[in-house]
Amino acid sequence: MALIVQKYGGTSVGTLDRIRNVASRLKRTRDEGNQVVAVVSAMSGVTDGLLKMARDLSENPSERELDVLVSTGEQQSIALVTMALQDQGVEAASITGRQAGIFTTGSHTRGRILNIEPQMMQGYLDEGKTLVVAGFQGVTPDGQIHTLGRGGSDLTAIAISAALKADVCQILTDVDGVYTCDPRIVKNARKLPEISYDEMLEMASSGSKVMQSRSVEFAKKFGVVFEVRSSLNDNPGTLVLEEHPDMENVVIRGVSIERSQARVTITGIPDEPGMSGTILGALGDAEINLDMIVSNIAHDGYARHSFTMHSNDLAKAQAALKPVLAALSADAKIETDVGIAKLSAVGIGMRSHSGVASTMFKALGDAGINIGMISTSEIKIAVTVDETRIEDAARAVHDAFELDKEPVR
């Protein structure tokens, strides 16, 4: 008997018919002789609707109360899925993040999993029940409800798989795997049969919406092999696992994009030790996630720092930086730029193949697309471009690396 964890996203449970479909899939998996744990998101649109109500009511709603509010979306889903299972003759029980023993730390609306105490879950499984667990939520050691940020149900599923030592973890969503690029943008994008944790992490953190990046980090840390596949058909998906030598034969695994980026440039900062730490520390204290960071010395001897973030964080970043910069230098200025997007090419084959950057930059140049900032890692090259050209950029780079073709191994 195998223990299988299946995660269903909001579109998979978006209607009552789809909830019945999920229940049927769970029943079929159970009828094959498996123990089953389903991790479920809120129905599609419910979380956004709850957030809209909160912001219509209050200009600055408390993050603690937002957590209390939006966590109800998952509780609605687990109850409905459990009812559908019971209607199909399956013994099932719904449990919240608190009941599942998911303990969290950090700030409200972006909690991090501290540990899982799975005794209640294991007890229900030992009784022969199928479990339906609320994703996206946990509880602090002092009893406060915490949510895990967008995509947090992925993290819940991976963490439960590790805690229960599941045999299989499946992330079921409205796409049937990980593609070389978003097929809505690149029509000839190809589904990948497998991808390494590191490549999946880079693609997730670079704008791919298939998986939350923290869930991939967690899977890599605890060795949880998982499959991304569709909840709407039985097609094989994409396995995410530890890299193996054959993977290096593929130079670029995929291209991802991230819209709604903002660039902040700080000028007039003295070129002295500790300045960067002070500036980035202020942004860290404000819990603003930075992406690309470039620092250099201008011709006037002052330091110049540029970094990107999601445009939603721009106002908060300016507020956090204003008092810090005033204390550092009377000449310090903040320049901002919105309407940009990030394009990333990812592949562990970069480690052993040269010429990747030149191929990518030539493709963008031939397409008449100007490059802004550039950032590299061992397995990724990322650039910023004008947001109005991001889809053209993705198609140009995808074609340049012939990602629509099966790689020669």
Side-chain angles (χ1 to χ4, degrees):
M1 177 184 293
L3 172 58
I4 298 178
V5 175
Q6 296 182 339
K7 176 262 177 177
Y8 291 90
T11 53
S12 299
V13 293
T15 66
L16 293 183
D17 282 342
R18 288 194 172 183
I19 285 173
R20 292 187 186 98
N21 175 64
V22 165
S24 296
R25 291 183 69 105
L26 293 170
K27 182 179 186 299
R28 187 164 68 246
T29 304
R30 178 187 172 94
D31 289 347
E32 291 168 353
N34 303 299
Q35 292 181 308
V36 183
V37 178
V39 175
V40 181
S41 299
M43 295 174 72
S44 180
V46 167
T47 300
D48 287 340
L50 292 170
L51 289 171
K52 183 179 184 303
M53 280 196 292
R55 290 181 175 127
D56 286 347
L57 187 67
S58 169
E59 289 185 3
N60 187 29
S62 157
E63 290 187 336
R64 179 189 184 279
E65 301 311 321
L66 285 175
D67 272 354
V68 174
L69 176 65
V70 299
S71 65
T72 63
E74 278 68 27
Q75 290 175 221
Q76 171 184 284
S77 294
I78 61 174
L80 292 171
V81 171
T82 302
M83 291 174 192
L85 279 166
Q86 292 169 345
D87 197 53
Q88 295 183 27
V90 177
E91 285 190 71
S94 65
I95 58 175
T96 66
R98 176 197 288 266
Q99 292 169 324
I102 300 172
F103 289 94
T104 57
T105 185
S107 301
H108 284 289
T109 75
R110 46 195 173 275
R112 301 187 306 276
I113 292 180
L114 185 64
N115 69 292
I116 296 182
E117 297 180 2
Q119 292 89 338
M120 179 178 284
M121 289 190 290
Q122 191 62 60
Y124 277 124
L125 290 171
D126 291 344
E127 292 172 6
K129 288 185 170 62
T130 290
L131 286 184
V132 186
V133 183
F136 178 64
Q137 62 180 250
V139 62
T140 64
D142 63 352
Q144 302 292 317
I145 294 174
H146 247 174
T147 61
L148 305 176
R150 285 290 188 179
S153 294
D154 293 340
L155 179 57
T156 303
I158 297 292
I160 285 176
S161 297
L164 291 174
K165 297 181 173 55
D167 297 284
V168 179
C169 179
Q170 297 173 333
I171 307 297
L172 293 112
T173 180
D174 57 344
V175 297
D176 58 356
V178 181
Y179 281 74
T180 51
C181 193
D182 186 338
R184 292 169 297 185
I185 296 170
V186 178
K187 300 302 181 186
N188 59 349
R190 180 175 51 85
K191 185 170 69 175
L192 299 168
E194 64 179 21
I195 188 171
S196 73
Y197 291 127
D198 287 340
E199 289 169 325
M200 187 70 247
L201 181 58
E202 288 283 16
M203 290 183 72
S205 63
S206 299
S208 173
K209 305 303 182 187
V210 175
M211 286 288 293
Q212 185 209 51
S213 58
R214 284 190 298 156
S215 64
V216 184
E217 289 177 355
F218 202 101
K220 177 179 171 63
K221 180 178 180 181
F222 291 97
V224 178
V225 176
F226 62 94
E227 182 184 19
V228 179
R229 61 187 304 172
S230 174
S231 64
L232 305 176
N233 58 53
D234 294 318
N235 296 338
T238 301
L239 278 177
V240 184
L241 67 169
E242 194 64 59
E243 68 182 74
H244 54 74
D246 284 350
M247 287 183 171
E248 290 200 9
N249 295 332
V250 181
V251 182
I252 296 298
R253 187 76 59 182
V255 174
S256 59
I257 67 171
E258 191 163 13
R259 306 177 194 268
S260 302
Q261 298 294 287
R263 179 172 60 234
V264 173
T265 300
I266 300 171
T267 59
I269 298 295
D271 179 26
E272 298 174 2
M275 292 293 175
S276 296
T278 300
I279 292 168
L280 297 180
L283 295 170
D285 291 343
E287 298 186 322
I288 295 169
N289 291 322
L290 301 182
D291 188 0
M292 306 169 76
I293 302 174
V294 176
S295 180
N296 51 45
I297 308 302
H299 62 83
D300 56 6
Y302 283 102
R304 180 185 182 91
H305 302 281
S306 294
F307 36 82
T308 62
M309 65 191 69
H310 196 280
S311 57
N312 289 347
D313 289 330
L314 182 57
K316 192 195 299 187
Q318 289 175 293
L321 288 170
K322 188 174 181 180
V324 174
L325 297 182
L328 290 179
S329 171
D331 297 314
K333 295 180 181 178
I334 302 178
E335 302 170 3
T336 61
D337 186 16
V338 294
I340 61 176
K342 184 179 72 170
L343 173 76
S344 301
V346 176
I348 61 174
M350 288 187 195
R351 296 169 179 161
S352 53
H353 293 78
S354 60
V356 176
S358 62
T359 300
M360 180 174 175
F361 296 161
K362 183 178 186 303
L364 293 171
D366 290 346
I369 297 168
N370 197 38
I371 295 171
M373 296 173 68
I374 302 171
S375 174
T376 64
S377 74
E378 190 179 24
I379 66 169
K380 180 181 77 172
I381 299 174
V383 298
T384 58
V385 302
D386 189 288
E387 190 165 9
T388 61
R389 299 299 310 277
I390 187 61
E391 294 190 7
D392 295 332
R395 286 188 281 265
V397 173
H398 194 274
D399 288 346
F401 288 105
E402 299 183 328
L403 296 182
D404 59 315
K405 299 178 181 177
E406 289 285 342
V408 178
R409 296 186 180 275

